Structure formats: structure tokens, C-alpha cells
Amino acid sequence: MAVIGITGGIATGKSTFTEVLFSFFPEAHRFSADAEVSRLTAEDAEVRREIRILFGDSVFLPDGEIDRRVVREGIFGNAELRKRLEAILHPRVREAWVSLARSFRKSGRWLLVEIPLLYETQGERECDSVAVVGCSDATQRFRLRTRRGYSDALSEQIRVAQMSGSEKCLRSDHFIWNDCSLSCLTRQARLYSVWLRDRFC
């Protein structure tokens, strides 16, 4: 069938939209870049070794888990450090999902790919359609502050480090506005699902 890319800025509601869209494609397979990063940092010995070299032993908690707060605050306060971490993770994540995408396309199955940095990594080239999820700046800041507990300064550092929502919107095939209720988001997902089946089935 098709590979559907879902992207957008932090805290815009990508995961929620993907979950809702998946309800209209129960036969589809889902890939989450964030989940793959979590798997790599928890299970891949080489990735963990390279992260230890980059950040030092303090990046690991007593139970062996990576302290995401230390990593997050480190990379968004240091562009060079962020690039070095991306060089560790991005090629591995890309290899995983691109291989999956090519396999699914050949077999005629649906694949929903949720990748925050899809355009930044030129991943849209591997997708048959891309939906960008966006919301107002005020809503994004509110979600980062209340749902994730990020300071205003950290939130702004993260927002600035990513491609702007307006730029992603201009590049997208479909734009999903998520300054709304779940029922409104569901209606948008339903419309998109109808278009996708009409276009690719």
C-alpha cells in the first residue's frame, strides 16, 4: 500500500494523531522513532558505549538507565553536543525504518512512521504521503510546561533547534491542526484515512 510519514514539532500531538489514525488502519504497522531511540539507548551496547564517551559516566543512573534529563539539558544547551549525539542515533534509526518502509511497500502493506525530525533528515523521500501535526506556539509552550515539566528556557531552546512548524507545513502533503479537542482530531484523522485509501488502494 503506502508508507505514511507523520511529523511535527515537539508537543504538537504527533503520537496522539498517529494513535487515532492507526484506529482507522488496524491492518497497518507502526514505527516510532522515539521508541526506537529508547530501544537503542537501553539495549544497544555500542550506542550506550558511545553515549558514555560523549557525556561521561554521570549520564547513567544507578539502575543503568540513561538520565534523559541530563542528555536533554546538555544537547539543547550545546549545539555541537547535539550534533554528535544525532550522529550516533540518527543513522541507526533511519536504517531501521527505511528498511522497514521498503519492505512494506514491496509487500503492499500500510506503514505509519512517526518521526519528529523527518524533514530534517530528508526522510520524506521514503514516504508516499506526509502529514504534519501542528498547534499554536502558545499551546506548544503550555504543553511543554504543564505536561512535561520543562522550563520556559528549555522549551524555547528545543523549539528553536527544530525546523519551524510553518516550514514543515509548507512541505507537507497534509496539515493537521491540533489546537483542538480529541473529537476534532479524530475527524481530521478520519478524513485523512479516507483520502489515503482512495489514493493508494
Side-chain angles (χ1 to χ4, degrees), residues 25-75:
F25 288 93
E27 74 275 29
H29 180 80
R30 293 170 58 184
F31 178 90
S32 164
D34 287 345
E36 180 65 8
V37 166
S38 294
R39 187 193 70 79
L40 287 168
T41 56
E43 302 174 8
D44 191 299
E46 181 62 20
V47 167
R48 290 170 63 85
R49 185 188 70 82
E50 292 181 24
I51 289 176
R52 186 185 298 275
I53 291 172
L54 187 59
F55 288 92
D57 291 337
S58 63
V59 76
F60 289 94
L61 295 167
D63 63 1
E65 291 291 318
I66 288 178
D67 190 332
R68 296 183 180 278
R69 181 190 59 80
V70 170
V71 172
R72 184 170 54 246
E73 293 180 356
I75 64 173

Short mmCIF file of all heavy atoms in Angstrom, two decimals, residues 25-75:
data_model
loop_
_atom_site.label_atom_id
_atom_site.label_comp_id
_atom_site.label_asym_id
_atom_site.label_seq_id
_atom_site.Cartn_x
_atom_site.Cartn_y
_atom_site.Cartn_z
N PHE A 25 -6.66 2.29 10.54
CA PHE A 25 -5.81 1.37 9.78
C PHE A 25 -5.34 0.23 10.68
O PHE A 25 -4.13 0.08 10.92
CB PHE A 25 -4.59 2.11 9.21
CG PHE A 25 -4.90 3.04 8.08
CD1 PHE A 25 -5.14 4.39 8.33
CD2 PHE A 25 -4.94 2.58 6.77
CE1 PHE A 25 -5.42 5.25 7.29
CE2 PHE A 25 -5.22 3.45 5.72
CZ PHE A 25 -5.46 4.79 5.98
N PRO A 26 -6.26 -0.57 11.21
CA PRO A 26 -5.84 -1.63 12.13
C PRO A 26 -4.91 -2.66 11.50
O PRO A 26 -4.21 -3.38 12.22
CB PRO A 26 -7.18 -2.27 12.55
CG PRO A 26 -8.12 -1.93 11.44
CD PRO A 26 -7.71 -0.56 10.96
N GLU A 27 -4.91 -2.72 10.16
CA GLU A 27 -4.03 -3.67 9.47
C GLU A 27 -2.62 -3.11 9.29
O GLU A 27 -1.71 -3.83 8.82
CB GLU A 27 -4.61 -4.03 8.10
CG GLU A 27 -4.50 -2.94 7.03
CD GLU A 27 -5.63 -1.90 7.06
OE1 GLU A 27 -6.18 -1.65 8.15
OE2 GLU A 27 -5.93 -1.34 5.99
N ALA A 28 -2.40 -1.85 9.66
CA ALA A 28 -1.10 -1.21 9.44
C ALA A 28 -0.09 -1.60 10.52
O ALA A 28 -0.45 -2.11 11.59
CB ALA A 28 -1.27 0.31 9.42
N HIS A 29 1.16 -1.33 10.23
CA HIS A 29 2.24 -1.47 11.20
C HIS A 29 2.70 -0.07 11.56
O HIS A 29 2.69 0.84 10.72
CB HIS A 29 3.41 -2.26 10.60
CG HIS A 29 4.55 -2.45 11.55
ND1 HIS A 29 4.56 -3.40 12.54
CD2 HIS A 29 5.73 -1.78 11.68
CE1 HIS A 29 5.68 -3.33 13.23
NE2 HIS A 29 6.42 -2.35 12.73
N ARG A 30 3.09 0.14 12.81
CA ARG A 30 3.54 1.45 13.27
C ARG A 30 5.03 1.42 13.62
O ARG A 30 5.51 0.44 14.19
CB ARG A 30 2.74 1.90 14.49
CG ARG A 30 1.29 2.18 14.22
CD ARG A 30 0.51 2.39 15.50
NE ARG A 30 1.05 3.47 16.30
CZ ARG A 30 0.60 3.80 17.51
NH1 ARG A 30 -0.39 3.10 18.06
NH2 ARG A 30 1.13 4.80 18.17
N PHE A 31 5.71 2.51 13.27
CA PHE A 31 7.11 2.68 13.68
C PHE A 31 7.23 4.05 14.34
O PHE A 31 6.81 5.07 13.77
CB PHE A 31 8.05 2.61 12.48
CG PHE A 31 9.50 2.84 12.85
CD1 PHE A 31 10.32 1.77 13.19
CD2 PHE A 31 10.03 4.13 12.88
CE1 PHE A 31 11.64 1.98 13.55
CE2 PHE A 31 11.36 4.35 13.24
CZ PHE A 31 12.16 3.27 13.57
N SER A 32 7.82 4.07 15.52
CA SER A 32 8.05 5.33 16.24
C SER A 32 9.55 5.54 16.40
O SER A 32 10.25 4.69 16.97
CB SER A 32 7.40 5.28 17.63
OG SER A 32 7.90 6.32 18.47
N ALA A 33 10.04 6.66 15.89
CA ALA A 33 11.46 6.98 16.04
C ALA A 33 11.83 7.12 17.51
O ALA A 33 12.91 6.68 17.94
CB ALA A 33 11.80 8.26 15.28
N ASP A 34 10.95 7.72 18.30
CA ASP A 34 11.24 7.88 19.73
C ASP A 34 11.35 6.53 20.42
O ASP A 34 12.22 6.32 21.28
CB ASP A 34 10.14 8.72 20.40
CG ASP A 34 10.22 10.19 20.03
OD1 ASP A 34 11.26 10.62 19.50
OD2 ASP A 34 9.23 10.91 20.28
N ALA A 35 10.47 5.60 20.05
CA ALA A 35 10.54 4.26 20.64
C ALA A 35 11.82 3.54 20.23
O ALA A 35 12.43 2.83 21.03
CB ALA A 35 9.32 3.44 20.22
N GLU A 36 12.24 3.75 18.99
CA GLU A 36 13.48 3.13 18.53
C GLU A 36 14.69 3.71 19.25
O GLU A 36 15.62 2.98 19.61
CB GLU A 36 13.63 3.31 17.02
CG GLU A 36 14.89 2.70 16.42
CD GLU A 36 14.97 1.19 16.52
OE1 GLU A 36 13.98 0.55 16.92
OE2 GLU A 36 16.05 0.63 16.20
N VAL A 37 14.68 5.02 19.50
CA VAL A 37 15.76 5.63 20.27
C VAL A 37 15.79 5.05 21.68
O VAL A 37 16.88 4.74 22.22
CB VAL A 37 15.59 7.16 20.32
CG1 VAL A 37 16.50 7.78 21.39
CG2 VAL A 37 15.90 7.78 18.97
N SER A 38 14.63 4.88 22.28
CA SER A 38 14.57 4.28 23.63
C SER A 38 15.13 2.86 23.62
O SER A 38 15.86 2.46 24.54
CB SER A 38 13.12 4.27 24.13
OG SER A 38 12.65 5.59 24.32
N ARG A 39 14.79 2.11 22.58
CA ARG A 39 15.31 0.74 22.48
C ARG A 39 16.82 0.74 22.32
O ARG A 39 17.53 -0.03 22.99
CB ARG A 39 14.66 0.03 21.28
CG ARG A 39 15.00 -1.45 21.21
CD ARG A 39 14.63 -2.05 19.87
NE ARG A 39 15.49 -1.55 18.79
CZ ARG A 39 16.71 -2.00 18.55
NH1 ARG A 39 17.26 -2.94 19.32
NH2 ARG A 39 17.43 -1.52 17.54
N LEU A 40 17.33 1.60 21.45
CA LEU A 40 18.77 1.65 21.22
C LEU A 40 19.53 2.04 22.48
O LEU A 40 20.55 1.43 22.81
CB LEU A 40 19.08 2.66 20.11
CG LEU A 40 18.71 2.24 18.68
CD1 LEU A 40 18.80 3.43 17.74
CD2 LEU A 40 19.62 1.11 18.20
N THR A 41 19.05 3.05 23.17
CA THR A 41 19.77 3.53 24.35
C THR A 41 19.66 2.56 25.53
O THR A 41 20.49 2.59 26.44
CB THR A 41 19.27 4.91 24.78
OG1 THR A 41 17.85 4.87 25.00
CG2 THR A 41 19.57 5.96 23.73
N ALA A 42 18.66 1.69 25.48
CA ALA A 42 18.50 0.71 26.56
C ALA A 42 19.18 -0.61 26.26
O ALA A 42 19.67 -1.29 27.18
CB ALA A 42 17.02 0.46 26.83
N GLU A 43 19.25 -0.99 24.97
CA GLU A 43 19.67 -2.34 24.63
C GLU A 43 20.93 -2.44 23.78
O GLU A 43 21.58 -3.49 23.79
CB GLU A 43 18.53 -3.05 23.86
CG GLU A 43 17.22 -3.13 24.63
CD GLU A 43 16.11 -3.71 23.79
OE1 GLU A 43 16.40 -4.19 22.67
OE2 GLU A 43 14.95 -3.70 24.24
N ASP A 44 21.27 -1.41 23.04
CA ASP A 44 22.39 -1.50 22.12
C ASP A 44 23.69 -1.12 22.85
O ASP A 44 23.91 0.04 23.20
CB ASP A 44 22.16 -0.57 20.93
CG ASP A 44 23.15 -0.80 19.80
OD1 ASP A 44 24.37 -0.61 20.04
OD2 ASP A 44 22.72 -1.13 18.69
N ALA A 45 24.54 -2.09 23.03
CA ALA A 45 25.77 -1.89 23.81
C ALA A 45 26.68 -0.84 23.16
O ALA A 45 27.31 -0.04 23.86
CB ALA A 45 26.51 -3.21 23.97
N GLU A 46 26.77 -0.84 21.84
CA GLU A 46 27.64 0.12 21.15
C GLU A 46 27.11 1.54 21.30
O GLU A 46 27.87 2.49 21.51
CB GLU A 46 27.77 -0.25 19.68
CG GLU A 46 28.67 0.67 18.87
CD GLU A 46 30.11 0.68 19.35
OE1 GLU A 46 30.54 -0.27 20.04
OE2 GLU A 46 30.83 1.65 19.04
N VAL A 47 25.80 1.70 21.19
CA VAL A 47 25.19 3.02 21.38
C VAL A 47 25.45 3.52 22.79
O VAL A 47 25.84 4.68 23.01
CB VAL A 47 23.68 2.97 21.10
CG1 VAL A 47 22.99 4.24 21.60
CG2 VAL A 47 23.42 2.79 19.60
N ARG A 48 25.27 2.67 23.77
CA ARG A 48 25.49 3.06 25.16
C ARG A 48 26.96 3.42 25.40
O ARG A 48 27.26 4.37 26.14
CB ARG A 48 25.05 1.93 26.09
CG ARG A 48 23.53 1.76 26.10
CD ARG A 48 23.10 0.50 26.85
NE ARG A 48 23.47 0.53 28.25
CZ ARG A 48 22.73 1.10 29.20
NH1 ARG A 48 21.61 1.74 28.88
NH2 ARG A 48 23.10 1.06 30.46
N ARG A 49 27.86 2.69 24.78
CA ARG A 49 29.29 2.98 24.92
C ARG A 49 29.61 4.36 24.34
O ARG A 49 30.33 5.15 24.96
CB ARG A 49 30.12 1.91 24.22
CG ARG A 49 31.63 2.06 24.41
CD ARG A 49 32.42 1.10 23.55
NE ARG A 49 32.33 1.46 22.14
CZ ARG A 49 33.07 2.40 21.57
NH1 ARG A 49 33.96 3.09 22.27
NH2 ARG A 49 32.94 2.67 20.29
N GLU A 50 29.07 4.65 23.16
CA GLU A 50 29.34 5.93 22.52
C GLU A 50 28.73 7.09 23.30
O GLU A 50 29.31 8.18 23.39
CB GLU A 50 28.81 5.91 21.08
CG GLU A 50 29.58 4.97 20.17
CD GLU A 50 29.06 4.99 18.75
OE1 GLU A 50 28.45 5.99 18.35
OE2 GLU A 50 29.27 3.98 18.03
N ILE A 51 27.57 6.86 23.89
CA ILE A 51 26.94 7.91 24.70
C ILE A 51 27.74 8.15 25.97
O ILE A 51 27.90 9.29 26.42
CB ILE A 51 25.47 7.53 25.03
CG1 ILE A 51 24.63 7.63 23.75
CG2 ILE A 51 24.91 8.42 26.13
CD1 ILE A 51 23.19 7.18 23.92
N ARG A 52 28.28 7.08 26.54
CA ARG A 52 29.12 7.23 27.75
C ARG A 52 30.37 8.06 27.42
O ARG A 52 30.78 8.91 28.21
CB ARG A 52 29.52 5.86 28.29
CG ARG A 52 30.26 5.92 29.62
CD ARG A 52 30.73 4.54 30.06
NE ARG A 52 29.64 3.62 30.28
CZ ARG A 52 28.96 3.54 31.44
NH1 ARG A 52 29.31 4.32 32.46
NH2 ARG A 52 27.98 2.67 31.56
N ILE A 53 30.97 7.80 26.27
CA ILE A 53 32.14 8.57 25.85
C ILE A 53 31.77 10.04 25.68
O ILE A 53 32.52 10.94 26.06
CB ILE A 53 32.71 8.00 24.54
CG1 ILE A 53 33.33 6.61 24.78
CG2 ILE A 53 33.76 8.94 23.94
CD1 ILE A 53 33.75 5.89 23.52
N LEU A 54 30.59 10.28 25.12
CA LEU A 54 30.16 11.64 24.82
C LEU A 54 29.80 12.44 26.06
O LEU A 54 30.18 13.61 26.20
CB LEU A 54 28.96 11.59 23.86
CG LEU A 54 28.46 12.91 23.28
CD1 LEU A 54 29.56 13.62 22.50
CD2 LEU A 54 27.25 12.65 22.38
N PHE A 55 29.09 11.82 27.00
CA PHE A 55 28.57 12.54 28.16
C PHE A 55 29.30 12.24 29.47
O PHE A 55 29.17 12.97 30.44
CB PHE A 55 27.08 12.23 28.36
CG PHE A 55 26.18 12.84 27.33
CD1 PHE A 55 25.84 12.14 26.19
CD2 PHE A 55 25.66 14.12 27.51
CE1 PHE A 55 25.01 12.69 25.24
CE2 PHE A 55 24.83 14.68 26.57
CZ PHE A 55 24.50 13.97 25.42
N GLY A 56 30.00 11.12 29.51
CA GLY A 56 30.62 10.72 30.76
C GLY A 56 29.73 9.77 31.56
O GLY A 56 28.56 9.57 31.24
N ASP A 57 30.28 9.21 32.62
CA ASP A 57 29.55 8.23 33.43
C ASP A 57 28.32 8.81 34.09
O ASP A 57 27.37 8.08 34.40
CB ASP A 57 30.48 7.65 34.51
CG ASP A 57 31.58 6.77 33.92
OD1 ASP A 57 31.39 6.27 32.79
OD2 ASP A 57 32.62 6.60 34.58
N SER A 58 28.30 10.12 34.32
CA SER A 58 27.18 10.73 35.04
C SER A 58 25.87 10.66 34.28
O SER A 58 24.81 10.91 34.84
CB SER A 58 27.51 12.20 35.35
OG SER A 58 27.66 12.94 34.15
N VAL A 59 25.94 10.31 32.99
CA VAL A 59 24.71 10.25 32.19
C VAL A 59 23.90 9.00 32.54
O VAL A 59 22.72 8.91 32.20
CB VAL A 59 25.03 10.28 30.68
CG1 VAL A 59 25.56 8.93 30.21
CG2 VAL A 59 23.81 10.68 29.87
N PHE A 60 24.51 8.04 33.24
CA PHE A 60 23.82 6.81 33.61
C PHE A 60 23.34 6.86 35.05
O PHE A 60 24.09 7.23 35.96
CB PHE A 60 24.72 5.60 33.40
CG PHE A 60 24.97 5.27 31.95
CD1 PHE A 60 26.09 5.77 31.30
CD2 PHE A 60 24.07 4.49 31.25
CE1 PHE A 60 26.31 5.48 29.97
CE2 PHE A 60 24.28 4.20 29.91
CZ PHE A 60 25.40 4.70 29.26
N LEU A 61 22.09 6.48 35.26
CA LEU A 61 21.52 6.39 36.59
C LEU A 61 22.02 5.12 37.27
O LEU A 61 22.55 4.22 36.61
CB LEU A 61 19.99 6.38 36.50
CG LEU A 61 19.36 7.67 35.94
CD1 LEU A 61 17.89 7.43 35.60
CD2 LEU A 61 19.50 8.81 36.94
N PRO A 62 21.86 5.00 38.59
CA PRO A 62 22.34 3.80 39.30
C PRO A 62 21.79 2.49 38.75
O PRO A 62 22.46 1.45 38.82
CB PRO A 62 21.85 4.05 40.74
CG PRO A 62 21.82 5.54 40.86
CD PRO A 62 21.36 6.03 39.51
N ASP A 63 20.58 2.53 38.20
CA ASP A 63 19.98 1.29 37.66
C ASP A 63 20.43 0.99 36.23
O ASP A 63 19.97 0.02 35.61
CB ASP A 63 18.46 1.35 37.73
CG ASP A 63 17.87 2.48 36.88
OD1 ASP A 63 18.64 3.21 36.22
OD2 ASP A 63 16.63 2.64 36.88
N GLY A 64 21.32 1.84 35.69
CA GLY A 64 21.82 1.62 34.34
C GLY A 64 21.07 2.35 33.25
O GLY A 64 21.52 2.40 32.10
N GLU A 65 19.93 2.92 33.61
CA GLU A 65 19.16 3.69 32.63
C GLU A 65 19.88 5.01 32.34
O GLU A 65 20.59 5.56 33.19
CB GLU A 65 17.76 3.99 33.16
CG GLU A 65 16.86 2.77 33.28
CD GLU A 65 16.47 2.21 31.93
OE1 GLU A 65 16.17 3.00 31.02
OE2 GLU A 65 16.50 0.97 31.78
N ILE A 66 19.66 5.53 31.13
CA ILE A 66 20.23 6.83 30.77
C ILE A 66 19.38 7.93 31.36
O ILE A 66 18.14 7.89 31.29
CB ILE A 66 20.34 6.97 29.25
CG1 ILE A 66 21.45 6.06 28.72
CG2 ILE A 66 20.60 8.41 28.84
CD1 ILE A 66 21.63 6.07 27.23
N ASP A 67 20.02 8.89 31.98
CA ASP A 67 19.32 10.04 32.58
C ASP A 67 18.93 11.00 31.46
O ASP A 67 19.75 11.78 30.98
CB ASP A 67 20.23 10.73 33.60
CG ASP A 67 19.47 11.76 34.43
OD1 ASP A 67 18.49 12.32 33.92
OD2 ASP A 67 19.89 12.01 35.57
N ARG A 68 17.69 10.92 31.03
CA ARG A 68 17.24 11.72 29.90
C ARG A 68 17.28 13.22 30.19
O ARG A 68 17.46 14.03 29.28
CB ARG A 68 15.83 11.29 29.47
CG ARG A 68 15.79 9.86 28.97
CD ARG A 68 14.41 9.47 28.48
NE ARG A 68 14.40 8.09 28.01
CZ ARG A 68 14.80 7.72 26.81
NH1 ARG A 68 15.23 8.62 25.95
NH2 ARG A 68 14.77 6.45 26.44
N ARG A 69 17.11 13.57 31.44
CA ARG A 69 17.17 14.99 31.79
C ARG A 69 18.57 15.55 31.54
O ARG A 69 18.72 16.63 30.97
CB ARG A 69 16.79 15.19 33.26
CG ARG A 69 16.82 16.66 33.71
CD ARG A 69 16.67 16.76 35.22
NE ARG A 69 17.73 16.06 35.90
CZ ARG A 69 18.95 16.56 36.08
NH1 ARG A 69 19.27 17.77 35.61
NH2 ARG A 69 19.86 15.87 36.74
N VAL A 70 19.59 14.80 31.93
CA VAL A 70 20.97 15.23 31.71
C VAL A 70 21.24 15.36 30.21
O VAL A 70 21.84 16.34 29.75
CB VAL A 70 21.96 14.23 32.35
CG1 VAL A 70 23.39 14.55 31.91
CG2 VAL A 70 21.85 14.28 33.87
N VAL A 71 20.80 14.38 29.45
CA VAL A 71 21.02 14.41 27.99
C VAL A 71 20.27 15.59 27.37
O VAL A 71 20.83 16.36 26.59
CB VAL A 71 20.54 13.09 27.34
CG1 VAL A 71 20.59 13.21 25.82
CG2 VAL A 71 21.41 11.93 27.81
N ARG A 72 19.01 15.74 27.73
CA ARG A 72 18.17 16.80 27.15
C ARG A 72 18.75 18.18 27.44
O ARG A 72 18.88 19.02 26.53
CB ARG A 72 16.76 16.67 27.71
CG ARG A 72 15.76 17.66 27.12
CD ARG A 72 14.35 17.30 27.54
NE ARG A 72 14.20 17.18 28.98
CZ ARG A 72 13.92 16.05 29.62
NH1 ARG A 72 13.77 14.93 28.95
NH2 ARG A 72 13.78 16.02 30.93
N GLU A 73 19.07 18.43 28.68
CA GLU A 73 19.59 19.75 29.04
C GLU A 73 20.97 19.98 28.45
O GLU A 73 21.34 21.12 28.14
CB GLU A 73 19.61 19.89 30.56
CG GLU A 73 18.20 19.92 31.17
CD GLU A 73 18.19 20.06 32.68
OE1 GLU A 73 19.31 20.07 33.27
OE2 GLU A 73 17.11 20.16 33.26
N GLY A 74 21.73 18.90 28.27
CA GLY A 74 23.06 19.04 27.69
C GLY A 74 23.02 19.39 26.22
O GLY A 74 23.68 20.33 25.76
N ILE A 75 22.21 18.66 25.45
CA ILE A 75 22.23 18.86 23.99
C ILE A 75 21.54 20.13 23.55
O ILE A 75 21.91 20.72 22.53
CB ILE A 75 21.63 17.64 23.26
CG1 ILE A 75 20.14 17.46 23.60
CG2 ILE A 75 22.41 16.39 23.55
CD1 ILE A 75 19.46 16.37 22.78
#
